[in-house]
Amino acid sequence: MTALRLALLELRRFRGRPLRCVVLGLVVAVPILVGGLALWSQWDPYGSTERIPVALVDRDTGAVVEGRHIDAGAELAGQLQAGDAFDWHPVTETEAIRGVTEGDYAFAVVVPADFSRALAGSERPHVTVRRDDSNGYLSGVIADTAALDLRQQIDTAVYVTAAKAAVGDLTRLDTGVEQAAHAAGDLTDDARNTADQADRLHTGLTDLELAAQRLSEDVADLRGDIRPAESTLAGRWPAIQSDSRAAAELTDGFAGRLSDIHGLLCDGDTGDACRDLDAAVADARAIDDGVTTLDEDIQSLSPGGGGVTDGRIDDLVAESQRLTGDTAAARTGAERLAEATDDFASESGGLADTLTGTARSLPAMDPARNAAIADLLGSPVDVRNVNAHPADVYGRGMAPLWFGIALWLFATAGYLVLRSCNPRALAGRTRTATIALAGWLPSLPLAVAAVAILYAAAGLGLGLDAVDPVATVAVALSGAAVFTAVGQLLRLVWGGMGGVAMLVLLTVQVPASGGAYPIQTSPAFFQALHPLMPMTYLVDALRITVTGGEPRRLWQAVLVLAVFGVAALLASTLVTAYRRRWTVARLHPVTLP
Amino acid sequence: MTGSDNTPHHPSPHHAPGPPTLSDTGELPAVELPDPATRPPPCEPPYLEAHGLTATGPAGPVYRDVDLTAARGELVALVGDSGSGKTSLLLTLAGRFRHRRGHVSVGGDRRPEAIRRKVAVAAAAPAVTLDPHHTVGELITETILTGCPATRDNLRRVWELLGVDAHTGTRCGDLAPVDRTLLALAFAAAARTPVIAVDDVDAGLGGVAAARVWAALRLLADQDHVVIATAVRPDLTPDVVVRLHPATGGLPRPHGVQAHTVVTRVVGREPP
């Protein structure tokens, strides 16, 4: 309670004079000034490379291969300018050198005069990237990052040029293959229709077979009771005759149609599809013949007309049985036919697909398509990235580190303005722990305001879009509280020089926290410091709350952070106890003006 | 070592002449004994004692071999130029300074924590000051929070006793220097400790204002406190004067120049 009231008194020191309020306001604004501005300025540098001016020099004079002129340089230039990796400026080499030297261009890509010749001569052609790190080292690093893309563009150009040199006018070939693919597609449709018809034929024949069977049974019954049967048969006969006629016409038409397809497609061709088709045509002919014979039989028979004798009936029975057998044979044939045409249809469908694929894989006028093919050819293995918790943009990935830096500087600035402890309490009778606590508590309301402003700016202004906003704010707040406890401790120990110590700690902590580059890439010094620095744990915890991650790791980080805070407060208490007696050095502190 | 003996004292003209009192070690002084009628020896044992106090800083000794005794009701003045170690000695006597040799005993207790409970420090810049940005009201709150058992009642009593003239809404920095010092004294006295220590009582004060402060100090001493005050000039009449030599202003002393202290017990004053 005493600690709270003393903390309140500490803050009340800043009332009254406007300038003193402004100072306190500046402390609160430190995080947004540091973290907010830094994050804003580099929120998405890799997403804005298309604004980086880059010179493009094409000195390629081309080459003649087997009578054909090729120009890989022009191809490359076109390819690069079609993409939006950079803001390309096609210029002369002199201008490019001048521009790079004077900083007008971040770097220049120079295609040498013998680029096409080297390519035609099966040498390894080269492209020069002229950089000048006085234009900013990182624009070069971005160039390196984009070099993969650049390489792919170069690969594409080389591939297209080489293909042109090998096959000549690709556009025509491309068009031809596309037409062939279309034709094959049409053929497939035809074959599908045919297969449908064969199916229908099969169904028709099945019906016919059933009718013939019934007929044969009826005829057999005639032996017993000829009259009624005769009249029944006579009644049914015209229907049977017309069914049979229709079947004969169907098979005839089908066989003719199939034969036409065969003639169209397989003129002297001996491919698998054609052989199948051949067999199908033969089948269709055989069926047609069978059905036609059957039909003729049926048409010639005339059960009506009276005067039917036993012998005639016997004939009729035999005839009808033969009819049943023939129809069954025809049905089986039709079944086979249906399968064959179906097979053909799927095969010609495959052909159509292959042709379409070929047409697509041929170099064309579309740079994006060419790039995709070159990529496929150049990197046969695709690396698939599975990112459990993607940060998406640079700024979002760097936010935890910048939050850490911002809050550390907040703590530093805070204890340049706030007193580490109340001197009258120190000389008075207040308990030591209370004094230490009362020195730390005034920083908390400032931390709440500072974190709120920082998070509002990052969340609403920049689109931080934290996975867990509440946890992010809570973690940032605990980070600020721990950092201010450290700031208070250093101010207690070194007085005014405590701020300097905080800055030194910051410079050590930032590389040691592993917030930018993986800690494994840092020298052993920083790796040794990595687990000993509070910022490490703040960055770890914020990463999980901002981009997501294992909650167990979050709790671990927060716990370690809390241990740092408690340790700092305990140390502050011990230092406060020691400082209840002054020394000459403290009465006459040696500080810079 | 120069401070352990009672050296002969030549009182100021406005003091009644008299012999020195008994030295703090109980030895007989080298000079003639005073007439017991004019200056009776203290009937109480000394409340505050210091023996062989020496403190050193980065630039050498700050003060050396200070011996001192004071009874309750006595006013002790530590006198010296700026930089002569007055503040350090004051804080040492208040149990709030790390000295190198010797000891301080207050009320028979030598432990610094125990001494601190018996000594209130009114002001000792830069260690203990009243924040100029606080209002008097806020300082009263601060006093009550840090100076247990400084209650509002205690404070009101000394406030009236010392004639402090300050409104609670006034910022401390806007008070007249004399009022600021009186305010600090009132705050210290409100804690009701046997000893009150105050630094630089005459800093920035003219003769009249300084006289007001000395009068206030005497008033407090008469309230059965031991009052220790540092000053550049001991204008009025303390019971014990400790002169610190020489001032270095924080700079190293020239070679061969040693810090030394002269302790004088003023005679001829009426006992409290």
Side-chain angles (χ1 to χ4, degrees):
Chain A
M1 193 57 208
T2 307
L4 268 178
R5 294 182 64 191
L6 278 176
L8 201 66
L9 269 180
E10 177 69 24
L11 288 176
R12 286 173 74 98
R13 290 174 66 224
F14 294 91
R15 291 185 328 153
R17 300 278 165 91
L19 199 60
R20 289 176 68 79
C21 295
V22 167
V23 166
L24 217 53
L26 274 178
V27 169
V28 168
V30 161
I32 183 150
L33 289 178
V34 175
L37 288 184
L39 281 176
W40 184 29
S41 71
Q42 47 182 264
W43 189 250
D44 191 12
Y46 292 94
S48 318
T49 56
E50 77 275 2
R51 294 205 294 264
I52 301 178
V54 177
L56 178 58
V57 182
D58 177 19
R59 295 179 54 214
D60 191 13
T61 50
V64 174
V65 180
E66 291 170 3
R68 292 196 184 102
H69 181 79
I70 61 165
D71 192 347
E75 188 67 44
L76 175 58
Q79 198 69 245
L80 289 177
Q81 288 179 73
D84 60 354
F86 294 102
D87 177 16
W88 295 102
H89 294 263
V91 292
T92 64
E93 189 168 24
T94 332
E95 163 64 10
I97 290 171
R98 186 207 61 77
V100 170
T101 312
E102 292 181 10
D104 291 343
Y105 303 119
F107 58 93
V109 175
V110 181
V111 182
D114 60 351
F115 186 67
S116 293
R117 252 176 291 144
L119 193 64
S122 308
E123 279 173 47
R124 213 175 144 85
H126 71 274
V127 168
T128 311
V129 175
R130 296 186 81 100
R131 268 170 61 182
D132 187 340
D133 282 348
S134 66
N135 293 336
Y137 177 69
L138 281 179
S139 66
V141 172
I142 288 179
D144 282 346
T145 315
L148 269 177
D149 186 47
L150 199 63
R151 172 159 290 281
Q152 192 198 320
Q153 307 269 23
I154 293 169
D155 286 349
T156 310
V158 168
Y159 152 78
V160 173
T161 315
K164 269 183 185 166
V167 236
D169 197 340
L170 288 156
T171 321
R172 200 175 296 164
L173 175 67
D174 187 31
T175 320
V177 174
E178 248 167 34
Q179 279 169 354
H182 277 308
D186 290 348
L187 180 63
T188 311
D189 291 344
D190 274 355
R192 293 247 160 81
N193 286 339
T194 314
D196 285 348
Q197 281 182 350
D199 262 344
R200 281 210 298 278
L201 176 63
H202 173 234
T203 320
L205 284 173
T206 311
D207 289 349
L208 190 59
E209 188 190 357
L210 282 173
Q213 243 164 11
R214 275 204 306 280
L215 172 67
S216 146
E217 283 160 18
D218 286 351
V219 171
D221 289 348
L222 267 178
R223 289 175 198 275
D225 189 3
I226 201 156
R227 290 273 160 216
E230 193 181 9
S231 65
T232 312
L233 193 59
R236 280 195 191 161
W237 200 246
I240 291 172
Q241 274 176 332
S242 79
D243 269 359
S244 165
R245 167 85 53 210
E249 276 164 10
L250 201 61
T251 51
D252 194 37
F254 179 69
R257 196 181 165 84
L258 210 54
S259 176
D260 284 351
I261 292 172
H262 181 258
L264 184 75
L265 273 182
C266 308
D267 192 14
D269 196 334
T270 51
D272 272 352
C274 275
R275 269 205 299 283
D276 283 351
L277 198 58
D278 248 350
V281 170
D283 277 347
R285 291 252 162 77
I287 293 166
D288 184 32
D289 289 348
V291 174
T292 311
T293 319
L294 184 67
D295 180 47
E296 277 160 8
D297 283 351
I298 289 170
Q299 304 302 338
S300 63
L301 275 175
S302 176
V308 181
T309 64
D310 275 354
R312 185 93 176 98
I313 288 171
D314 282 344
D315 281 355
L316 198 60
V317 169
E319 277 293 333
S320 68
Q321 272 165 354
R322 194 164 60 80
L323 175 67
T324 313
D326 280 353
T327 327
R331 181 187 50 81
T332 321
E335 204 166 39
R336 262 213 328 272
L337 179 67
E339 278 168 20
T341 46
D342 218 25
D343 285 353
F344 173 72
S346 64
E347 268 176 47
S348 81
L351 174 69
D353 287 348
T354 315
L355 282 172
T356 313
T358 313
R360 277 207 197 107
S361 61
L362 279 173
M365 300 311 285
D366 179 9
R369 223 171 86 188
N370 287 347
I373 301 161
D375 184 38
L376 193 68
L377 293 175
S379 47
V381 178
D382 192 17
V383 177
R384 287 195 187 159
N385 259 320
V386 179
N387 190 343
H389 305 103
D392 297 330
V393 287
Y394 182 84
R396 197 159 170 258
M398 296 302 281
L401 178 65
W402 276 111
F403 270 46
I405 295 172
L407 294 177
W408 189 269
L409 284 173
F410 160 73
T412 310
Y415 277 98
L416 289 179
V417 173
L418 295 172
R419 299 181 300 191
S420 54
C421 68
N422 185 318
R424 286 188 75 202
L426 197 62
R429 297 206 185 171
T430 319
R431 287 193 311 148
T432 305
T434 308
I435 298 173
L437 198 62
W440 175 64
L441 286 176
S443 65
L444 288 190
L446 305 185
V448 170
V451 167
I453 294 173
L454 176 63
Y455 186 80
L460 304 176
L462 295 173
L464 180 67
D465 193 23
V467 169
D468 191 340
V470 177
T472 305
V473 170
V475 167
L477 205 53
S478 10
V482 172
F483 289 178
T484 50
V486 175
Q488 183 204 7
L489 174 63
L490 295 184
R491 173 82 196 258
L492 263 176
V493 176
W494 283 304
M497 298 301 276
V500 179
M502 284 289 280
L503 290 180
V504 171
L505 263 181
L506 176 68
T507 56
V508 173
Q509 275 194 106
V510 169
S513 69
Y517 291 95
I519 187 64
Q520 291 81 1
T521 62
S522 303
F525 171 71
F526 294 112
Q527 294 191 30
L529 285 178
H530 180 68
L532 305 176
M533 291 293 172
M535 194 180 287
T536 302
Y537 300 95
L538 178 65
V539 170
D540 278 359
L542 280 176
R543 274 188 179 149
I544 292 168
T545 59
V546 170
T547 54
E550 179 62 44
R552 193 175 47 79
R553 282 173 57 198
L554 171 64
W555 285 116
Q556 272 175 356
V558 170
L559 198 69
V560 178
L561 212 53
V563 169
F564 269 104
V566 171
L569 281 176
L570 285 178
S572 288
T573 307
L574 290 178
V575 173
T576 306
Y578 182 82
R579 287 173 71 90
R580 299 199 89 149
R581 291 165 78 193
W582 272 260
T583 60
V584 176
R586 274 176 63 204
L587 289 180
H588 304 286
V590 183
T591 43
L592 296 171
Chain B
M1 207 276 283
T2 54
S4 59
D5 299 316
N6 278 336
T7 46
H9 175 60
H10 305 286
S12 335
H14 56 275
H15 286 287
T21 57
L22 284 172
S23 82
D24 48 6
T25 50
E27 285 173 34
L28 286 174
V31 292
E32 232 178 291
L33 277 169
D35 183 358
T38 51
R39 176 67 169 141
C43 44
E44 276 185 56
Y47 188 79
L48 183 145
E49 285 181 282
H51 280 288
L53 280 184
T54 301
T56 48
V62 181
Y63 53 82
R64 269 173 78 116
D65 298 323
V66 178
D67 286 358
L68 178 70
T69 58
R72 292 184 78 149
E74 285 192 314
L75 172 58
V76 181
L78 312 181
V79 183
D81 292 341
S82 193
S84 57
K86 304 188 296 282
T87 309
S88 300
L89 181 56
L90 181 84
L91 286 172
T92 311
L93 297 175
R96 291 171 174 92
F97 196 87
R98 285 173 198 280
H99 58 281
R100 193 165 169 197
R101 276 203 312 273
H103 73 262
V104 182
S105 147
V106 177
D109 219 326
R110 292 189 180 187
R111 292 175 303 124
E113 312 84 72
I115 294 175
R116 287 202 292 269
R117 279 198 292 276
K118 292 172 179 152
V119 184
V121 179
V128 187
T129 51
L130 298 182
D131 192 283
H133 304 289
H134 271 319
T135 62
V136 172
E138 284 160 355
L139 287 173
I140 291 171
T141 309
E142 192 177 56
T143 304
I144 291 165
L145 286 172
T146 60
C148 170
T151 60
R152 276 180 201 278
D153 283 345
N154 289 347
L155 194 56
R156 198 169 298 123
R157 231 165 278 141
V158 277
W159 197 278
E160 282 163 14
L161 177 74
L162 300 180
V164 178
D165 179 23
H167 296 285
T168 50
T170 316
R171 277 173 4 100
C172 176
D174 297 338
L175 289 175
V178 62
D179 288 326
R180 220 178 303 158
T181 307
L182 291 178
L183 189 65
L185 280 173
F187 287 153
R192 292 197 164 173
T193 52
V195 183
I196 293 169
V198 55
D199 193 27
D200 271 336
V201 284
D202 55 357
L205 299 183
V208 177
R212 264 188 78 192
V213 174
W214 283 110
L217 292 175
R218 175 55 67 191
L219 262 174
L220 286 174
D222 290 347
Q223 298 284 308
D224 208 26
H225 289 109
V226 179
V227 178
I228 315 170
T230 74
V232 178
R233 300 177 306 275
D235 289 279
L236 293 174
T237 54
D239 300 302
V240 180
V241 177
V242 179
R243 290 183 187 275
L244 294 119
H245 300 284
T248 64
L251 295 170
R253 288 186 172 81
H255 185 71
V257 178
Q258 294 283 326
H260 64 281
T261 315
V262 181
V263 179
T264 313
R265 196 157 270 282
V266 179
V267 290
R269 252 189 57 80
E270 288 300 312

